[in-house]
Coordinates of all heavy atoms in Angstrom, one line a residue:
M1 N 4.4 -2.8 -11.3 CA 5.1 -3.6 -10.3 C 5.3 -2.9 -9.0 O 5.1 -3.4 -7.9 CB 6.4 -4.1 -10.9 CG 7.1 -5.0 -9.9 SD 6.1 -6.5 -9.7 CE 7.2 -7.7 -10.2
L2 N 5.7 -1.6 -8.9 CA 6.0 -0.8 -7.8 C 4.7 -0.8 -7.0 O 4.7 -0.9 -5.8 CB 6.4 0.6 -8.2 CG 6.8 1.6 -7.0 CD1 7.8 0.9 -6.2 CD2 7.1 2.9 -7.5
S3 N 3.5 -0.7 -7.6 CA 2.3 -0.6 -6.9 C 2.1 -1.9 -6.2 O 1.4 -1.9 -5.1 CB 1.1 -0.2 -7.8 OG 1.4 0.9 -8.4
K4 N 2.5 -3.1 -6.8 CA 2.2 -4.3 -6.0 C 3.1 -4.3 -4.7 O 2.6 -4.8 -3.7 CB 2.7 -5.4 -7.0 CG 1.8 -5.7 -8.1 CD 2.1 -6.9 -8.8 CE 1.1 -7.0 -10.1 NZ 1.6 -8.1 -10.9
F5 N 4.2 -3.7 -4.7 CA 5.1 -3.7 -3.5 C 4.3 -2.8 -2.5 O 4.4 -3.1 -1.3 CB 6.5 -3.1 -3.8 CG 7.3 -4.2 -4.6 CD1 7.7 -3.9 -5.9 CD2 7.6 -5.4 -4.0 CE1 8.5 -4.7 -6.5 CE2 8.4 -6.3 -4.7 CZ 8.9 -6.0 -5.9
I6 N 3.8 -1.7 -2.9 CA 3.0 -0.8 -2.0 C 2.0 -1.7 -1.3 O 1.8 -1.7 -0.1 CB 2.5 0.4 -2.6 CG1 3.5 1.3 -3.2 CG2 1.5 1.1 -1.8 CD1 3.0 2.3 -4.2
V7 N 1.2 -2.3 -2.2 CA 0.1 -3.1 -1.6 C 0.5 -4.3 -0.7 O -0.1 -4.5 0.3 CB -0.9 -3.6 -2.8 CG1 -1.9 -4.5 -2.3 CG2 -1.6 -2.3 -3.4
T8 N 1.6 -4.8 -1.1 CA 2.1 -6.0 -0.4 C 2.4 -5.5 1.1 O 2.0 -6.1 2.0 CB 3.4 -6.6 -1.0 OG1 3.1 -7.0 -2.3 CG2 4.0 -7.6 -0.2
G9 N 3.1 -4.4 1.2 CA 3.4 -3.9 2.5 C 2.1 -3.4 3.3 O 2.0 -3.7 4.4
A10 N 1.3 -2.8 2.5 CA 0.0 -2.5 3.2 C -0.9 -3.6 3.5 O -1.4 -3.6 4.5 CB -0.8 -1.5 2.3
L11 N -1.0 -4.6 2.7 CA -1.7 -5.8 3.0 C -1.1 -6.5 4.3 O -1.9 -7.2 5.0 CB -1.9 -6.7 1.7 CG -2.7 -6.3 0.6 CD1 -2.7 -7.2 -0.6 CD2 -4.2 -6.2 1.1
S12 N 0.1 -6.5 4.3 CA 0.8 -7.1 5.5 C 0.2 -6.5 6.8 O -0.1 -7.2 7.7 CB 2.3 -7.0 5.4 OG 2.8 -7.7 4.2
A13 N 0.0 -5.2 6.6 CA -0.6 -4.5 7.9 C -2.0 -4.9 8.0 O -2.4 -4.9 9.3 CB -0.4 -3.0 7.6
I14 N -2.7 -5.2 7.1 CA -4.1 -5.5 7.1 C -4.3 -7.0 7.7 O -5.1 -7.3 8.6 CB -4.8 -5.5 5.8 CG1 -5.0 -3.9 5.4 CG2 -6.2 -6.0 5.8 CD1 -5.3 -3.8 3.9
V15 N -3.5 -7.9 7.2 CA -3.6 -9.3 7.5 C -2.7 -9.8 8.5 O -3.0 -11.0 9.1 CB -3.7 -10.2 6.3 CG1 -4.7 -9.8 5.3 CG2 -2.3 -10.2 5.6
A16 N -1.7 -9.1 8.9 CA -0.6 -9.7 9.8 C -1.2 -9.6 11.2 O -1.8 -8.7 11.5 CB 0.7 -9.0 9.5
V17 N -0.7 -10.5 11.9 CA -1.0 -10.4 13.4 C 0.0 -9.5 14.2 O -0.4 -8.9 15.1 CB -0.9 -11.8 14.0 CG1 -1.1 -11.8 15.5 CG2 -1.8 -12.8 13.2
A18 N 1.1 -9.2 13.5 CA 2.1 -8.4 14.2 C 1.5 -6.9 14.3 O 0.8 -6.5 13.5 CB 3.4 -8.3 13.4
A19 N 2.1 -6.2 15.3 CA 1.7 -4.9 15.6 C 2.2 -3.9 14.4 O 3.2 -4.2 13.9 CB 2.3 -4.4 17.0
P20 N 1.4 -2.9 14.0 CA 1.9 -2.1 13.0 C 3.2 -1.4 13.4 O 3.4 -1.1 14.5 CB 0.7 -1.0 12.8 CG -0.2 -1.3 13.9 CD 0.2 -2.5 14.6
A21 N 4.0 -0.9 12.3 CA 5.3 -0.3 12.5 C 5.0 1.2 13.1 O 3.9 1.8 12.7 CB 6.0 -0.2 11.1
Q22 N 5.9 1.7 13.8 CA 5.9 3.1 14.2 C 5.9 4.0 13.0 O 6.6 3.7 12.1 CB 7.0 3.4 15.2 CG 7.0 2.7 16.4 CD 5.8 3.0 17.3 OE1 5.4 4.2 17.3 NE2 5.2 2.1 18.0
A23 N 5.1 5.0 13.0 CA 5.1 6.1 11.9 C 5.4 7.4 12.5 O 5.2 7.7 13.6 CB 3.7 6.0 11.3
E24 N 5.9 8.2 11.6 CA 6.2 9.6 12.0 C 4.9 10.4 12.2 O 4.9 11.3 13.1 CB 6.9 10.4 10.8 CG 8.3 9.8 10.5 CD 8.9 10.4 9.4 OE1 8.3 11.1 8.6 OE2 10.1 10.1 9.2
E25 N 3.8 10.1 11.6 CA 2.5 10.7 11.9 C 1.6 9.8 12.6 O 1.4 8.7 12.3 CB 1.9 11.2 10.5 CG 2.8 12.1 9.8 CD 2.3 12.4 8.4 OE1 1.1 12.8 8.4 OE2 3.0 12.4 7.4
A26 N 0.8 10.4 13.5 CA -0.1 9.6 14.3 C -1.1 9.0 13.3 O -1.6 9.5 12.5 CB -0.8 10.4 15.3
G27 N -1.4 7.6 13.6 CA -2.4 6.9 12.8 C -1.9 6.4 11.5 O -2.6 5.8 10.8
K28 N -0.7 6.7 11.2 CA -0.2 6.2 9.8 C 0.9 5.1 10.1 O 1.4 5.0 11.1 CB 0.5 7.3 9.1 CG -0.5 8.4 8.8 CD -0.2 9.1 7.5 CE -1.2 10.1 7.3 NZ -1.0 10.8 6.1
Q29 N 1.0 4.3 9.1 CA 1.9 3.1 9.2 C 3.0 3.3 8.1 O 2.8 4.2 7.3 CB 1.2 1.9 8.9 CG 0.1 1.5 10.0 CD -0.8 0.5 9.6 OE1 -0.3 -0.6 9.3 NE2 -2.1 0.6 9.5
R30 N 4.0 2.6 8.2 CA 5.1 2.7 7.2 C 5.9 1.4 7.0 O 5.9 0.6 7.9 CB 6.1 3.8 7.4 CG 7.0 3.6 8.6 CD 8.1 4.7 8.5 NE 8.5 5.0 9.8 CZ 9.5 5.9 10.0 NH1 10.0 6.5 9.0 NH2 9.8 6.2 11.2
F31 N 6.4 1.3 5.8 CA 7.5 0.2 5.6 C 8.4 0.7 4.6 O 8.2 1.8 3.9 CB 6.8 -1.1 5.1 CG 6.2 -1.0 3.6 CD1 6.8 -1.3 2.5 CD2 4.8 -0.4 3.5 CE1 6.4 -1.3 1.3 CE2 4.3 -0.4 2.2 CZ 5.0 -0.9 1.1
T32 N 9.5 0.1 4.5 CA 10.7 0.5 3.5 C 10.9 -0.6 2.6 O 10.9 -1.8 2.9 CB 11.9 0.8 4.3 OG1 11.6 1.9 5.3 CG2 13.0 1.3 3.5
H33 N 11.1 -0.2 1.2 CA 11.4 -1.2 0.2 C 12.2 -0.6 -0.8 O 11.9 0.5 -1.2 CB 10.0 -1.6 -0.4 CG 10.3 -2.6 -1.6 ND1 10.7 -3.9 -1.4 CD2 10.1 -2.4 -2.8 CE1 10.8 -4.5 -2.6 NE2 10.5 -3.6 -3.4
E34 N 13.3 -1.2 -1.1 CA 14.2 -0.6 -2.2 C 14.6 0.8 -1.9 O 14.7 1.6 -3.0 CB 13.7 -1.0 -3.5 CG 13.7 -2.4 -3.9 CD 13.2 -2.6 -5.2 OE1 12.8 -1.7 -6.0 OE2 13.2 -3.9 -5.7
G35 N 14.9 1.2 -0.7 CA 15.4 2.6 -0.4 C 14.2 3.5 -0.3 O 14.6 4.8 0.0
Y36 N 13.0 3.2 -0.5 CA 11.9 4.1 -0.4 C 11.1 3.8 0.9 O 11.0 2.6 1.2 CB 10.9 4.0 -1.6 CG 11.5 4.5 -2.9 CD1 11.9 3.5 -3.8 CD2 11.5 5.9 -3.2 CE1 12.5 4.0 -5.0 CE2 12.1 6.3 -4.4 CZ 12.5 5.4 -5.3 OH 13.1 5.8 -6.4
T37 N 10.6 4.9 1.5 CA 9.7 4.7 2.7 C 8.3 4.9 2.3 O 8.1 6.1 1.7 CB 10.2 5.5 3.9 OG1 11.5 5.1 4.2 CG2 9.3 5.3 5.1
Y38 N 7.4 4.1 2.6 CA 6.0 4.2 2.2 C 5.3 4.5 3.5 O 5.2 3.8 4.4 CB 5.4 3.0 1.6 CG 6.0 2.7 0.3 CD1 7.2 2.0 0.2 CD2 5.5 3.1 -1.0 CE1 7.8 1.7 -1.0 CE2 6.1 2.8 -2.2 CZ 7.3 2.2 -2.1 OH 7.9 1.8 -3.4
V39 N 4.6 5.7 3.6 CA 3.8 6.1 4.8 C 2.4 6.2 4.3 O 2.0 6.8 3.3 CB 4.2 7.5 5.3 CG1 3.4 7.9 6.5 CG2 5.8 7.5 5.6
Y40 N 1.4 5.3 5.0 CA 0.1 5.3 4.5 C -0.8 5.0 5.6 O -0.5 4.8 6.8 CB 0.0 4.1 3.5 CG 0.5 2.8 4.3 CD1 -0.6 1.9 4.7 CD2 1.7 2.4 4.3 CE1 -0.2 0.7 5.4 CE2 2.1 1.2 5.0 CZ 1.1 0.4 5.5 OH 1.5 -0.8 6.2
E41 N -2.2 5.1 5.3 CA -3.2 4.9 6.2 C -4.2 3.8 5.5 O -4.3 3.8 4.3 CB -4.2 6.0 6.4 CG -3.6 7.2 7.2 CD -4.6 8.3 7.4 OE1 -4.9 8.9 6.3 OE2 -5.0 8.5 8.5
V42 N -4.7 2.9 6.3 CA -5.7 2.0 5.8 C -7.0 2.3 6.5 O -7.2 2.4 7.7 CB -5.3 0.5 6.2 CG1 -6.3 -0.5 5.6 CG2 -3.9 0.2 5.5
K43 N -7.9 2.5 5.6 CA -9.3 2.9 6.2 C -10.4 1.9 5.7 O -10.3 1.5 4.6 CB -9.7 4.2 5.7 CG -8.9 5.4 6.2 CD -9.4 6.7 5.7 CE -8.6 7.9 6.2 NZ -9.0 9.2 5.8
D44 N -11.2 1.4 6.7 CA -12.3 0.6 6.3 C -13.5 1.4 5.7 O -13.8 2.5 6.4 CB -12.8 -0.2 7.6 CG -11.8 -1.3 8.0 OD1 -11.4 -2.0 7.1 OD2 -11.5 -1.4 9.2
T45 N -14.0 0.9 4.7 CA -15.2 1.7 4.1 C -16.3 0.6 3.9 O -16.1 -0.6 4.2 CB -14.8 2.2 2.7 OG1 -14.6 1.2 1.8 CG2 -13.6 3.2 2.8
K46 N -17.4 1.1 3.5 CA -18.6 0.0 3.3 C -18.2 -1.0 2.1 O -18.8 -2.0 2.2 CB -19.9 0.9 3.0 CG -20.3 1.7 4.1 CD -21.6 2.4 3.7 CE -22.0 3.3 4.9 NZ -23.2 4.1 4.5
T47 N -17.4 -0.6 1.3 CA -17.1 -1.5 0.1 C -15.9 -2.1 0.2 O -15.5 -3.0 -0.7 CB -17.2 -0.7 -1.2 OG1 -16.3 0.4 -1.2 CG2 -18.7 -0.1 -1.4
G48 N -15.0 -1.9 1.2 CA -13.7 -2.5 1.2 C -12.8 -1.7 2.0 O -13.1 -0.9 2.9
K49 N -11.5 -1.8 1.8 CA -10.5 -1.0 2.4 C -9.9 -0.1 1.4 O -9.8 -0.3 0.2 CB -9.3 -1.9 3.0 CG -9.9 -2.8 4.0 CD -8.7 -3.5 4.7 CE -9.2 -4.5 5.8 NZ -9.8 -3.9 7.0
V50 N -9.4 1.1 1.9 CA -8.7 2.1 1.2 C -7.3 2.3 1.8 O -7.2 2.6 2.9 CB -9.5 3.4 1.1 CG1 -8.7 4.6 0.4 CG2 -10.9 3.2 0.4
I51 N -6.3 2.2 1.0 CA -4.9 2.3 1.3 C -4.4 3.7 0.6 O -4.4 3.8 -0.6 CB -4.0 1.3 0.9 CG1 -4.6 -0.1 1.5 CG2 -2.6 1.5 1.3 CD1 -4.0 -1.3 0.8
S52 N -4.1 4.7 1.4 CA -3.7 6.0 0.9 C -2.4 6.5 1.6 O -2.3 6.3 2.7 CB -4.8 7.1 0.8 OG -5.2 7.2 2.2
G53 N -1.5 7.1 0.7 CA -0.3 7.6 1.4 C 0.6 8.2 0.4 O 0.3 8.5 -0.7
R54 N 1.9 8.2 0.8 CA 3.0 8.7 0.0 C 4.3 7.9 0.1 O 4.5 7.4 1.2 CB 3.3 10.3 0.3 CG 2.2 11.1 0.0 CD 2.7 12.6 0.1 NE 1.6 13.5 -0.4 CZ 1.4 13.8 -1.6 NH1 2.2 13.5 -2.6 NH2 0.4 14.7 -1.9
R55 N 5.0 7.9 -1.0 CA 6.3 7.2 -1.1 C 7.4 8.3 -0.9 O 7.4 9.3 -1.7 CB 6.5 6.5 -2.2 CG 7.9 5.8 -2.5 CD 8.1 5.3 -3.8 NE 8.4 6.4 -4.8 CZ 8.4 6.2 -6.1 NH1 8.1 5.1 -6.6 NH2 8.7 7.2 -6.8
F56 N 8.3 8.2 0.0 CA 9.4 9.1 0.2 C 10.7 8.5 -0.1 O 10.9 7.3 0.0 CB 9.3 9.5 1.7 CG 8.1 10.4 2.1 CD1 7.0 9.6 2.6 CD2 8.0 11.7 1.7 CE1 5.9 10.5 3.0 CE2 6.8 12.4 2.2 CZ 5.8 11.8 2.7
P57 N 11.6 9.4 -0.6 CA 11.7 10.8 -0.4 C 11.0 11.8 -1.4 O 11.1 12.9 -1.2 CB 13.3 11.1 -0.4 CG 13.9 10.1 -1.3 CD 12.9 8.8 -1.1
D58 N 10.6 11.1 -2.4 CA 10.0 11.9 -3.6 C 8.5 12.4 -3.3 O 8.0 13.0 -4.1 CB 10.2 11.3 -4.9 CG 9.8 9.9 -4.9 OD1 9.3 9.4 -3.9 OD2 10.0 9.2 -6.0
A59 N 7.9 11.9 -2.3 CA 6.5 12.3 -2.0 C 5.5 11.9 -3.1 O 4.6 12.6 -3.2 CB 6.5 13.7 -1.5
V60 N 5.7 10.8 -3.7 CA 4.7 10.3 -4.7 C 3.5 9.7 -4.0 O 3.6 8.9 -3.1 CB 5.4 9.2 -5.6 CG1 4.3 8.5 -6.6 CG2 6.6 9.8 -6.4
A61 N 2.4 10.3 -4.4 CA 1.2 9.8 -3.7 C 0.5 8.5 -4.3 O 0.8 8.3 -5.5 CB 0.0 11.0 -3.9
F62 N -0.2 7.8 -3.6 CA -0.9 6.7 -4.0 C -2.2 6.5 -3.2 O -2.4 6.9 -2.1 CB -0.1 5.3 -3.9 CG 0.4 5.0 -2.5 CD1 -0.3 4.2 -1.7 CD2 1.6 5.5 -2.1 CE1 0.0 4.0 -0.4 CE2 2.0 5.0 -0.8 CZ 1.3 4.3 0.0
N63 N -3.2 6.0 -3.9 CA -4.5 5.7 -3.4 C -5.2 4.6 -4.0 O -5.4 4.5 -5.2 CB -5.5 7.0 -3.7 CG -6.7 7.0 -2.8 OD1 -6.8 6.4 -1.7 ND2 -7.8 7.5 -3.4
L64 N -5.3 3.5 -3.2 CA -5.7 2.1 -3.7 C -6.9 1.7 -2.9 O -7.0 1.8 -1.7 CB -4.6 1.2 -3.5 CG -3.3 1.6 -4.1 CD1 -2.1 0.7 -3.8 CD2 -3.4 1.6 -5.7
A65 N -7.9 1.1 -3.6 CA -9.0 0.4 -3.0 C -8.9 -1.0 -3.1 O -8.4 -1.6 -4.1 CB -10.3 0.9 -3.7
V66 N -9.2 -1.8 -2.0 CA -9.1 -3.2 -1.9 C -10.4 -3.7 -1.6 O -11.1 -3.5 -0.6 CB -8.0 -3.6 -0.8 CG1 -8.0 -5.2 -0.8 CG2 -6.7 -3.0 -1.0
K67 N -10.9 -4.5 -2.7 CA -12.3 -5.1 -2.4 C -12.5 -6.3 -3.3 O -11.9 -6.4 -4.4 CB -13.4 -4.1 -2.6 CG -13.5 -3.5 -3.9 CD -14.7 -2.5 -4.0 CE -14.8 -1.8 -5.4 NZ -15.8 -0.9 -5.5
N68 N -13.1 -7.3 -2.7 CA -13.5 -8.6 -3.5 C -12.2 -9.1 -4.2 O -12.2 -9.7 -5.2 CB -14.5 -8.3 -4.6 CG -15.9 -7.8 -4.1 OD1 -16.2 -8.2 -3.0 ND2 -16.4 -6.9 -4.8
G69 N -11.1 -9.1 -3.3 CA -9.8 -9.7 -3.8 C -9.2 -9.0 -4.8 O -8.2 -9.5 -5.5
K70 N -9.5 -7.7 -5.2 CA -8.9 -6.9 -6.2 C -8.5 -5.6 -5.8 O -9.0 -5.0 -4.8 CB -9.9 -6.8 -7.4 CG -10.3 -8.0 -8.0 CD -11.2 -7.7 -9.2 CE -11.7 -9.1 -9.9 NZ -12.6 -8.9 -10.8
V71 N -7.4 -5.1 -6.2 CA -6.8 -3.8 -5.9 C -7.0 -2.9 -7.1 O -6.6 -3.3 -8.3 CB -5.3 -3.8 -5.4 CG1 -4.8 -2.5 -5.1 CG2 -5.2 -4.9 -4.3
S72 N -7.4 -1.7 -7.0 CA -7.4 -0.7 -8.0 C -7.3 0.7 -7.5 O -7.4 0.9 -6.3 CB -8.8 -0.8 -8.8 OG -9.8 -0.4 -7.9
G73 N -6.7 1.6 -8.4 CA -6.5 3.0 -7.9 C -5.5 3.7 -8.7 O -5.2 3.2 -9.9
V74 N -4.7 4.7 -8.0 CA -3.8 5.4 -8.7 C -2.5 5.4 -7.8 O -2.6 5.6 -6.6 CB -4.2 6.9 -8.9 CG1 -3.2 7.8 -9.4 CG2 -5.5 7.0 -9.7
S75 N -1.4 5.2 -8.6 CA -0.2 5.2 -7.9 C 0.8 6.1 -8.7 O 1.1 5.7 -9.9 CB 0.4 3.8 -7.5 OG 1.7 3.8 -7.0
G76 N 1.3 7.2 -8.1 CA 2.3 8.0 -9.0 C 1.6 8.5 -10.2 O 2.3 8.7 -11.2
G77 N 0.4 8.8 -10.2 CA -0.4 9.4 -11.3 C -0.8 8.3 -12.4 O -1.4 8.7 -13.4
Q78 N -0.6 7.0 -12.1 CA -0.9 6.1 -13.1 C -2.0 5.1 -12.5 O -2.1 4.7 -11.3 CB 0.2 5.1 -13.4 CG 1.3 5.9 -14.1 CD 2.6 4.9 -14.4 OE1 2.9 4.1 -13.7 NE2 3.1 5.1 -15.7
Q79 N -2.9 4.8 -13.3 CA -4.0 3.8 -12.9 C -3.3 2.4 -12.8 O -2.5 2.0 -13.5 CB -5.1 3.7 -14.0 CG -5.9 4.9 -14.1 CD -6.9 5.0 -12.9 OE1 -7.3 4.0 -12.4 NE2 -7.1 6.3 -12.6
V80 N -3.8 1.8 -11.7 CA -3.3 0.4 -11.4 C -4.4 -0.5 -11.1 O -5.5 -0.1 -10.6 CB -2.2 0.3 -10.3 CG1 -1.0 1.0 -10.7 CG2 -2.8 0.9 -8.9
A81 N -4.4 -1.7 -11.4 CA -5.3 -2.7 -11.1 C -4.7 -4.2 -11.1 O -4.1 -4.5 -12.1 CB -6.6 -2.7 -12.0
F82 N -5.0 -4.9 -10.0 CA -4.4 -6.3 -10.1 C -5.1 -7.1 -8.8 O -5.8 -6.4 -8.0 CB -2.9 -6.3 -9.8 CG -2.4 -5.4 -8.7 CD1 -2.3 -5.8 -7.4 CD2 -2.1 -4.1 -9.0 CE1 -1.9 -4.9 -6.4 CE2 -1.6 -3.2 -8.1 CZ -1.5 -3.7 -6.7
K83 N -4.8 -8.3 -8.9 CA -5.5 -9.1 -7.7 C -4.6 -9.0 -6.5 O -3.4 -8.9 -6.5 CB -5.5 -10.6 -8.2 CG -6.5 -10.9 -9.4 CD -6.4 -12.3 -9.8 CE -7.3 -12.5 -11.1 NZ -7.1 -13.9 -11.5
V84 N -5.3 -9.1 -5.3 CA -4.5 -9.2 -4.0 C -3.6 -10.2 -4.1 O -2.4 -10.0 -3.5 CB -5.6 -9.3 -2.9 CG1 -4.8 -9.6 -1.5 CG2 -6.4 -8.0 -2.8
E85 N -3.8 -11.5 -4.5 CA -2.9 -12.5 -4.6 C -1.6 -12.2 -5.4 O -0.5 -12.6 -5.0 CB -3.6 -13.8 -5.1 CG -4.5 -14.4 -4.1 CD -3.7 -14.9 -2.9 OE1 -2.6 -15.4 -3.0 OE2 -4.3 -14.7 -1.8
D86 N -1.8 -11.5 -6.4 CA -0.6 -11.0 -7.2 C 0.3 -10.1 -6.3 O 1.5 -10.2 -6.4 CB -1.0 -10.2 -8.5 CG -1.7 -11.1 -9.5 OD1 -1.6 -12.4 -9.4 OD2 -2.4 -10.5 -10.4
A87 N -0.2 -9.3 -5.6 CA 0.5 -8.4 -4.7 C 1.2 -9.2 -3.6 O 2.4 -8.9 -3.3 CB -0.4 -7.4 -4.0
R88 N 0.6 -10.2 -3.0 CA 1.2 -11.1 -2.0 C 2.5 -11.7 -2.7 O 3.5 -11.8 -2.0 CB 0.2 -12.0 -1.4 CG -0.7 -11.4 -0.6 CD -1.6 -12.4 0.1 NE -2.6 -11.9 1.0 CZ -3.8 -12.0 0.9 NH1 -4.4 -12.8 0.0 NH2 -4.7 -11.5 1.8
G89 N 2.2 -12.2 -3.9 CA 3.4 -12.8 -4.5 C 4.7 -11.9 -4.9 O 5.7 -12.4 -5.1
A90 N 4.3 -10.6 -5.0 CA 5.3 -9.6 -5.4 C 6.5 -9.5 -4.4 O 7.5 -9.2 -4.6 CB 4.8 -8.3 -5.7
A91 N 6.1 -9.9 -3.1 CA 7.1 -9.7 -2.0 C 8.2 -10.7 -2.2 O 9.3 -10.3 -1.8 CB 6.4 -10.0 -0.6
S92 N 8.1 -11.7 -2.8 CA 9.1 -12.8 -3.0 C 9.8 -12.5 -4.4 O 10.8 -13.2 -4.6 CB 8.6 -14.1 -3.0 OG 7.6 -14.3 -4.1
E93 N 9.5 -11.6 -5.2 CA 10.1 -11.4 -6.5 C 11.3 -10.5 -6.4 O 11.5 -9.7 -5.4 CB 9.1 -10.8 -7.5 CG 8.0 -11.6 -7.8 CD 7.0 -11.0 -8.8 OE1 7.3 -9.8 -9.2 OE2 6.1 -11.7 -9.2

């Protein structure tokens, strides 16, 4: 579930019209959810988008690939996989 929140925030940066949030590091974006701050980058690749970064204050790493409406990767050392639509719905839960 936590990974869905990560992707929800990151997907907002991908699909939203609003300007990205200011980040501590150049080229990185961030959002805060339930007391954690997620600092990440979104990169375009030949096969889709890659979202990678860390959750603070505990510096837990995540690396997610978004392609064909699906998200997969590693968050906090655990494999994750779900549909983009599921992540969008997580914001309202």
Side-chain angles (χ1 to χ4, degrees):
M1 183 61 123
L2 180 60
S3 299
K4 289 182 184 179
F5 289 115
I6 293 168
V7 174
T8 298
L11 286 174
S12 296
I14 293 169
V15 298
V17 178
Q22 294 293 322
E24 293 175 348
E25 301 176 48
K28 297 209 175 181
Q29 301 172 52
R30 75 165 143 179
F31 69 95
T32 301
H33 176 73
E34 294 185 353
Y36 292 101
T37 299
Y38 297 85
V39 179
Y40 62 95
E41 291 182 292
V42 178
K43 294 182 182 178
D44 288 313
T45 67
K46 292 179 183 178
T47 58
K49 296 192 183 289
V50 173
I51 304 166
S52 58
R54 292 194 174 273
R55 178 188 76 192
F56 293 96
D58 50 1
V60 172
F62 59 90
N63 191 30
L64 306 169
V66 181
K67 62 181 176 181
N68 300 325
K70 296 180 183 175
V71 179
S72 61
V74 178
S75 177
Q78 295 184 317
Q79 289 288 327
V80 296
F82 49 91
K83 295 178 184 175
V84 170
E85 283 301 316
D86 292 344
R88 287 188 182 123
S92 61
E93 292 179 2

